[in-house]
Amino acid sequence: MIITKEILNQKVPKDMMPTRLDSALNLYTNVHYKNETGIIVYNTNPETWNCLYSFYELNHKFTIDNYNFNIENPTYRELIEEYKSMYQKVYEQEKGYTKESRMNTLIDEFKKTFNLDSVNIRDELEPIFELKYSKSKNVWTLYYFENYVANDVDNINDLLNQNLYEQKILPLDSSINKIDGIDITSNIPFLLSIEFNIEKLNNNLIEVEK
C-alpha cells in the first residue's frame, strides 16, 4: 500500500509492521513519439515479475534487513520519519551517498544499460513510500522510491528502439494500471495522480522526430 498524506497519522496494523527497509532510484522519461505521449515503462523481468516499471537503479540502493523500529505502535508518519533518519545516517553520512552522487549513479546506470551517450536530469518528482509484503523475503518491507525525470537524452531514438527489455509508452493517466494485459507497478499510477509530478513531467517532455 502507498502511504498517502491521508493516512500519515493512522497507526500501522501490528501484523503489517515492516522489518525491512528498501529503496530504489527511478528515472522517468516523458516523450512524444509517433503520435504517442507518455513515460517509457519497461518489463525488465517478464518471467519472474511480468510487470511494467520505470527505469530503476538497484545496484547501489539503501537496504536494511531484520530492522526493528524504535517506536512501539507507530503511525505511518513515524515509520517514515525513522526511515529518513536511518537513510541520512547510514546512506548519506556514513557511506557518503549524497543526492548528487545518487543522481550521477542513476544517470550512469541508465546510459550503460541502454548504451546512451548523454543523459541529463533537471527535476526531481515527489518521493513515494510504500508498505508492501515482500514475497521473496517473506516480510513486510517499507520501500522508498526516489524519483527523477530526464529532460534530455542525446540519442533518444536509440532508447526508443532498444531491444534489451519490452517497453511501452504510458500516458500520464493515473487511472491506467495495465497495458496490453501487463500490470503497471503500483507506485507509478500513484505518482501520476500528483499534479506536481504531471507538471514536472510535462515541463521535461522530449519531442522525438519521426
Side-chain angles (χ1 to χ4, degrees), residues 84-126:
K84 288 179 177 178
S85 177
M86 291 301 298
Y87 189 90
Q88 184 180 39
K89 177 179 180 291
V90 175
Y91 205 43
E92 297 185 335
Q93 295 178 359
E94 294 180 4
K95 294 188 176 181
Y97 209 41
T98 64
K99 177 168 285 191
E100 183 180 0
S101 64
R102 296 196 301 271
M103 290 173 62
N104 288 335
T105 297
L106 181 59
I107 288 172
D108 289 345
E109 191 68 20
F110 190 61
K111 290 194 297 183
K112 183 174 73 172
T113 300
F114 297 119
N115 195 28
L116 304 172
D117 292 331
S118 176
V119 177
N120 187 65
I121 292 174
R122 183 173 63 190
D123 287 322
E124 182 176 4
L125 305 177
E126 288 285 340

Side-chain angles (χ1 to χ4, degrees), residues 109-156:
E109 191 68 20
F110 190 61
K111 290 194 297 183
K112 183 174 73 172
T113 300
F114 297 119
N115 195 28
L116 304 172
D117 292 331
S118 176
V119 177
N120 187 65
I121 292 174
R122 183 173 63 190
D123 287 322
E124 182 176 4
L125 305 177
E126 288 285 340
I128 294 172
F129 282 90
E130 182 174 14
L131 184 58
K132 192 173 183 179
Y133 189 76
S134 176
K135 294 179 181 179
S136 60
K137 299 288 185 176
N138 197 33
V139 296
W140 283 92
T141 301
L142 181 58
Y143 290 93
Y144 169 59
F145 300 103
E146 192 170 354
N147 305 305
Y148 296 93
V149 55
N151 71 308
D152 181 61
V153 177
D154 187 56
N155 37 349
I156 186 68

